[in-house]
Amino acid sequence: RNERLDLLVSTLNGEADGEPSVLVSSNLRRAINTGCIAMWNRLRKTNEKILLLDSLQEMSRNVDTNALAGPKEYPEMSVVSKTLGRSFSPAATLDPSENAGNKGMFSKALPRLENFNKWIFKRDEPSIIVSAGHSLWFMNYFRTFLPKASAHEAKKHKILNCGAVAFDIVQGKCGGKTWHKIDESSITVIHGGFKTKKSKKKHK
């Protein structure tokens, strides 16, 4: 029996024997849709809201990485409304109060990664659940905050679609500067894991 994994699953599901936690999501509509649907059982049980954070926004310059909703606005959610029915409403499920809107045209990813860390350590909850993020964002997050000597697959491979991975991040100060580091030994696959290159199949 894996006690850490049991605790993580209980926390993810918002169960009484899990840790206190908060749900957050990228401010991109496709991520929010996924988060609402995936966490719907928990949301109905706890009546909490998913916090939308611009710091989790995808870092690519592709068209679909731009947020359409403005600062502190609700995105258009017809896909989720159709899927979950009348019991879903954006106002009852989402909290856009900390979403600053779309990223700047020439913005860099690193400040957003650092802003997310700053936000984490201002929260009281011991567990932060990114109910819907982006695999490229996470791969760069791992590359940035895992030790340089680390050869963990998280640095080289994206998380699978609908995958769930947990890890601990620590904060410290040195020379007056704040630093953050992922504890490599804490990385735990809850579901799916990382997308590694599959060997080519031979067709007969």
Side-chain angles (χ1 to χ4, degrees):
R1 180 176 176 178
N2 189 325
E3 293 184 0
R4 173 173 168 79
L5 185 58
D6 288 344
L7 177 62
L8 290 170
V9 172
S10 294
T11 302
L12 185 64
N13 290 330
E15 296 172 358
D17 57 346
E19 291 186 337
S21 59
V22 61
L23 296 175
V24 299
S25 172
S26 159
N27 59 352
L28 295 187
R29 186 172 59 184
R30 55 192 168 93
I32 301 169
N33 289 347
T34 300
C36 289
I37 295 170
M39 303 304 295
W40 187 235
N41 287 339
R42 169 173 168 157
L43 291 167
R44 285 192 300 174
K45 178 173 59 178
T46 63
N47 292 315
E48 65 190 301
K49 295 183 179 182
I50 298 176
L51 290 168
L52 308 184
L53 301 179
D54 55 282
S55 58
L56 291 170
Q57 187 174 348
E58 184 64 286
M59 52 191 61
S60 167
R61 293 184 179 177
N62 293 341
V63 174
D64 65 348
T65 67
N66 288 293
L68 300 179
K72 301 183 179 181
E73 290 182 351
Y74 294 105
E76 192 278 324
M77 299 294 292
S78 59
V79 170
V80 179
S81 296
K82 184 177 180 180
T83 303
L84 298 178
R86 294 181 179 179
S87 57
F88 170 82
S89 77
T93 311
L94 305 174
D95 180 355
S97 63
E98 297 190 56
N99 174 30
N102 193 36
K103 61 189 177 184
M105 184 176 295
F106 300 106
S107 64
K108 300 291 185 181
L110 182 59
R112 292 205 300 281
L113 301 181
E114 293 175 336
N115 285 340
F116 181 61
N117 285 344
K118 291 177 183 176
W119 184 86
I120 287 175
F121 286 96
K122 288 180 181 179
R123 299 292 301 191
D124 294 327
E125 300 90 351
S127 294
I128 308 296
I129 299 174
V130 180
S131 60
H134 306 285
S135 57
L136 179 61
W137 188 99
F138 273 110
M139 187 170 69
N140 281 280
Y141 188 85
F142 282 120
R143 286 176 177 175
T144 302
F145 298 110
L146 273 170
K148 288 185 178 180
S150 169
H152 196 281
E153 62 180 342
K155 282 185 168 183
K156 299 177 289 184
H157 303 292
K158 296 179 180 179
I159 298 174
L160 287 166
N161 287 342
C162 296
V165 176
F167 57 90
D168 296 336
I169 186 163
V170 297
Q171 176 176 272
K173 288 191 176 182
C174 182
K177 292 185 178 180
T178 301
W179 54 265
H180 298 96
K181 183 178 74 172
I182 293 173
D183 177 0
E184 181 176 347
S185 66
S186 72
I187 298 176
T188 305
V189 173
I190 300 174
H191 177 74
F194 299 91
K195 185 177 182 179
T196 56
K197 292 183 179 179
K198 296 181 179 179
S199 57
K200 294 182 179 180
K201 293 183 179 181
K202 292 184 180 180
H203 299 282
K204 294 182 179 180

